[in-house]
């Protein structure tokens, strides 16, 4: 009985760290909007369907359990892209903080034009936001429950 208890304890002790390491966070990178669409990232909802065709250097990270996500992309110089109608101007201080920190995403939004966006699925409890760089060359879009 003692051997069985020790074996069960050892198996549980080894399994828990492995489960914690696997996590539900996934990341991806796409060179273009076409590549992201072909990979199914837009159909899965991690990259918004309104992503401009000209978008490149697309990066995204998401949590399968919480539905939180962070997406960045770049636009060609002098591109006149406008956010979707579901995104309305908002002060950065009113927006939820992104759930993820990545070296490809700015830590501060000073000078960025920011927007609060309606929930794409109509009620997951995740708030969405968008930020456009001052030179309009890069965009950050995130959903956070924070």
């Amino acid at each position: 009985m003692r051997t069985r208890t020790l074996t069960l304890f050892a198996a549980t002790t080894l399994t828990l760290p492995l489960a914690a390491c696997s996590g539900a966070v996934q990341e991806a990178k796409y060179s273009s909007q076409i590549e992201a669409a072909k990979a199914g990232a837009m159909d899965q909802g991690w990259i918004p369907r309104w992503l401009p065709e000209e978008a490149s250097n697309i990066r995204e990270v998401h949590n399968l359990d919480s539905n939180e996500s962070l997406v960045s992309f770049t636009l060609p110089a002098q591109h006149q892209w406008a956010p979707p109608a579901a995104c309305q101007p908002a002060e950065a201080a009113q927006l939820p903080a992104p759930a993820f920190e990545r070296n490809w995403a700015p830590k501060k939004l000073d000078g960025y034009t920011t927007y609060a966006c309606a929930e794409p699925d109509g009620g997951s409890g995740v708030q969405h936001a968008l930020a456009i760089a001052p030179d309009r060359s890069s965009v950050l879009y995130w959903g956070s429950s924070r």
Side-chain angles (χ1 to χ4, degrees), residues 8-72:
L8 181 60
F9 174 76
T12 304
T13 304
L14 293 173
T15 304
L16 288 176
L18 291 175
C21 291
S22 67
V25 175
Q26 298 180 351
E27 288 193 62
K29 181 178 180 183
Y30 307 97
S31 61
S32 68
Q33 184 258 22
I34 293 169
E35 184 182 334
K38 283 182 180 178
M42 297 162 98
D43 290 337
Q44 294 170 0
W46 302 120
I47 294 179
R49 292 190 183 279
W50 49 253
L51 191 78
E53 287 184 18
E54 301 83 5
S56 63
N57 192 29
I58 302 159
R59 294 176 174 250
E60 70 90 8
V61 58
H62 63 269
N63 184 310
L64 291 169
D65 293 335
S66 67
N67 287 327
E68 295 171 313
S69 62
L70 178 65
V71 178
S72 75

Side-chain angles (χ1 to χ4, degrees), residues 48-50 81-90 95 114-122 126-130 141-142:
R49 292 190 183 279
W50 49 253
W81 179 76
C87 297
Q88 297 298 310
L95 302 174
T114 53
Y115 300 82
C117 303
E119 295 180 42
D121 62 3
V126 174
Q127 298 175 323
H128 289 82
L130 182 117
Y141 177 72
W142 68 97

Side-chain angles (χ1 to χ4, degrees), residues 89-143:
E91 295 294 324
Q94 297 173 326
L95 302 174
F100 303 97
E101 287 187 16
R102 295 294 187 266
N103 63 356
W104 44 262
K107 302 226 183 306
K108 294 186 178 189
L109 299 176
D110 297 340
Y112 278 67
T113 304
T114 53
Y115 300 82
C117 303
E119 295 180 42
D121 62 3
S124 67
V126 174
Q127 298 175 323
H128 289 82
L130 182 117
I132 302 173
D135 66 0
R136 303 191 62 78
S137 67
S138 62
V139 178
L140 193 67
Y141 177 72
W142 68 97

Side-chain angles (χ1 to χ4, degrees), residues 73-86:
F73 59 93
T74 57
L75 294 169
Q78 308 303 316
H79 193 272
Q80 297 301 314
W81 179 76

